[in-house]
């Protein structure tokens, strides 16, 4: 078995548990950190944000996170808001009750698959985003499928998801948000070896600088011909 790297969130390197419903990774590893409760995606996103923090003055930024998770710390930002659907500061992400261009950073991890109208949601998120800010967006496992399967209702057997996204999510972005800039990056959770994809969307090319920080990333302006940049993002076993 390969050596486990410490959890980037709490430093635990010795005790991991099965995930929700007893889930293990494809390699048979337990993914849940017993120290902080993080899963693969939380550690991947935290590692990404730790790399981003030196690039942007987050302490001057206003951030809104939809759905609490362990990927970020609220104290990184000058002003931080959390919206938990049905709970704290609950907002309908399809009709966000905020003015245009009112926030610098939006964080939306594993939310888009839970909303009936994902196109309307994307437009709303970009509407409230300031010109030099960016939206950090993730969905479950888009690398596993070529095409999105949208069944159109919240399936109780699939965690109330309306759809399962594939690599064609890039087409959804380009059709819904033409002219917006997209940084796509693939990163690895070194505790388990699992890969995940992170999307950063912005009105201006503000995230282009991150291509030097994340070698396995792809920056583009969204237009009709955009496809998932599979070859540019391929990771080796040692990355």
């Amino acid at each position: 078995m390969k050596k486990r790297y410490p959890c980037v969130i709490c430093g635990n390197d010795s005790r991991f548990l099965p995930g929700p419903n007893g889930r293990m990774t494809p390699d048979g590893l337990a993914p849940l950190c017993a120290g902080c409760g993080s899963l693969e995606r939380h550690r991947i996103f935290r590692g990404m944000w730790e790399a981003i923090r030196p690039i942007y003055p987050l302490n001057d930024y206003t951030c809104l996170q939809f759905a609490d998770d362990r990927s970020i710390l609220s104290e990184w930002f000058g002003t931080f808001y959390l919206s938990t659907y049905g709970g704290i500061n609950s907002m309908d992400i399809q009709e966000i009750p905020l003015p245009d261009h009112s926030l610098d950073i939006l964080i939306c991890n594993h939310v888009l698959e839970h909303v009936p109208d994902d196109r309307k949601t994307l437009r709303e998120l970009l509407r409230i985003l300031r010109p030099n800010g960016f939206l950090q967006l993730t969905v479950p496992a888009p690398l596993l499928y070529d095409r999105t399967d949208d069944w159109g209702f919240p399936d109780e057997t699939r965690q109330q998801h309306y759809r399962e996204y594939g690599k064609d999510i890039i087409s959804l972005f380009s059709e819904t948000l033409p002219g917006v800039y997209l940084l796509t990056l693939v990163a690895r959770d070194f505790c388990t070896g699992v890969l995940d994809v992170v999307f950063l969307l912005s009105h201006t090319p503000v995230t282009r600088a991150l291509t030097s920080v994340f070698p396995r990333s792809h920056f583009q302006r969204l237009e009709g011909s955009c496809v998932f940049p599979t070859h540019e993002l391929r990771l080796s076993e040692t990355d």
Side-chain angles (χ1 to χ4, degrees), residues 41 61 68 102 130 142 174 183 193 210:
R41 65 179 184 272
Y61 286 2
D68 194 15
S102 54
R130 288 176 179 154
S174 61
L183 180 75
L210 294 175

Side-chain angles (χ1 to χ4, degrees), residues 49-63:
W49 275 102
E50 290 289 5
I52 284 176
R53 288 176 62 204
I55 308 296
Y56 301 99
L58 298 186
N59 59 329
D60 293 333
Y61 286 2
T62 299
C63 174

Side-chain angles (χ1 to χ4, degrees), residues 9-10 23 43 51 129 152:
I9 296 176
C10 72
R23 179 180 67 80
R43 296 185 291 269
L129 187 66

Side-chain angles (χ1 to χ4, degrees), residues 2-8 11-14 16 189-192:
K2 293 182 179 179
K3 178 184 180 296
R4 288 245 197 199
Y5 288 83
C7 171
V8 298
N12 166 54
D13 63 356
S14 59
F16 289 80
D189 169 33
F190 286 101
C191 290
T192 61

